Amino acid sequence: MLGDDAELTAAVRAAQGGEETAFRTVYRAVHPRLLGYVRTLVGDPDAEDVASEAWLQIARDLERFDGDADRFRGWAARIARNRALDHIRMRGRRPATGGDESELTGRPSESDTADEAMEALATDSTLSLIARLPQDQAEAVVLRVVVGLDAKSAAETLGKRPGAVRTAAHRGLKRLAELLGGDPESGSGLDALPPQREPHRRAVTSATVTHTRTRTQKDM
């Protein structure tokens, strides 16, 4: 366990001990990826609110978490997924998010491989397109590539077998790769992480979650 993972693990453990700065570090490290996952489930208009609800639960239950950075990402993703599914049940259906296959026209790709698709997954337009895949493929792709979970952790998040998650991710990436291939004049290189947006007015920031976490600890 090296680099960023070691730092995230240390920050999680410090946050469990009540260090507000450490919790903000955890939030900044995990939130952009988690928000990308939530967007594929509920659509962009509601993603910030659902992610905020997830972070409030993460802050409330953090003391009960046990594990390293990888396990924390999986744990946080499960919480976010549950909040997203609650939101979908209240609304009645999974949204048809904006975007269509033409959004990938001109995206950089030298060949129609899954690697090329993976490089483009973090852009807003591609996350929007991923949401149009069958839900099992969309979730598997985002959990494996954007959130960074291994097959076992992704399977635990989805309540499926690792083999089923690998298959769904492969099919989703293959479809995206087919769409990405075909513009040799494009430049190369897309951001590796989803951009972190300014929170909407109702969104909960790391400072708000930290304040809530501190208040919750005092009430216990």
Side-chain angles (χ1 to χ4, degrees), residues 109 111-114 116-117 172-181:
S109 180
S111 61
D112 57 345
T113 65
E116 299 298 334
L173 286 171
K174 182 178 179 181
R175 178 56 180 154
L176 291 172
E178 291 170 354
L179 299 171
L180 284 165

Side-chain angles (χ1 to χ4, degrees), residues 134-182:
Q135 186 167 347
D136 63 329
Q137 295 180 19
E139 289 195 73
V141 167
V142 175
L143 286 174
R144 293 297 310 278
V145 180
V146 178
V147 180
L149 303 185
D150 59 23
K152 181 179 178 181
S153 296
E156 291 175 352
T157 299
L158 299 174
K160 297 182 177 180
R161 292 176 291 103
V165 173
R166 290 191 189 95
T167 298
H170 174 75
R171 289 174 178 170
L173 286 171
K174 182 178 179 181
R175 178 56 180 154
L176 291 172
E178 291 170 354
L179 299 171
L180 284 165

Side-chain angles (χ1 to χ4, degrees), residues 2-158:
L2 300 172
D4 292 343
D5 276 2
E7 293 175 7
L8 178 56
T9 298
V12 168
R13 291 172 179 167
Q16 288 178 304
E19 292 187 20
E20 296 182 10
T21 301
F23 187 85
R24 286 193 289 270
T25 298
V26 172
Y27 179 89
R28 288 193 296 268
V30 177
H31 177 68
R33 296 169 182 263
L34 203 65
L35 180 60
Y37 177 41
V38 172
R39 280 179 183 154
T40 67
L41 293 171
V42 303
D44 192 61
D46 299 327
E48 291 278 6
D49 289 341
V50 173
S52 295
E53 293 173 5
W55 276 106
L56 288 174
Q57 182 176 345
I58 291 168
R60 186 189 68 210
D61 297 344
L62 184 59
E63 290 182 348
R64 295 199 291 270
F65 170 75
D66 182 25
D68 59 10
D70 284 337
R71 289 187 63 83
F72 181 82
R73 292 188 191 99
W75 180 71
R78 286 194 295 277
I79 291 175
R81 185 174 193 266
N82 288 337
R83 297 289 69 76
L85 294 179
D86 287 345
H87 182 82
I88 291 169
R89 280 191 288 268
M90 290 177 61
R91 187 176 49 202
R93 65 184 178 85
R94 183 185 180 211
T97 58
D100 55 39
E101 295 181 3
S102 65
E103 288 181 345
L104 288 182
T105 301
R107 292 298 181 191
S109 180
E110 296 177 357
S111 61
D112 57 345
T113 65
D115 286 343
E116 299 298 334
M118 290 170 69
E119 290 178 3
L121 293 187
T123 66
D124 280 348
S125 60
T126 312
L127 283 171
S128 178
L129 182 60
I130 291 170
R132 300 175 67 88
L133 294 172
Q135 186 167 347
D136 63 329
Q137 295 180 19
E139 289 195 73
V141 167
V142 175
L143 286 174
R144 293 297 310 278
V145 180
V146 178
V147 180
L149 303 185
D150 59 23
K152 181 179 178 181
S153 296
E156 291 175 352
T157 299
L158 299 174

Side-chain angles (χ1 to χ4, degrees), residues 179-201:
L179 299 171
L180 284 165
D183 188 358
E185 296 182 1
S186 300
S188 60
L190 291 174
D191 294 339
L193 293 175
Q196 184 164 2
R197 297 182 170 188
E198 290 298 323
H200 296 169
R201 288 185 178 181

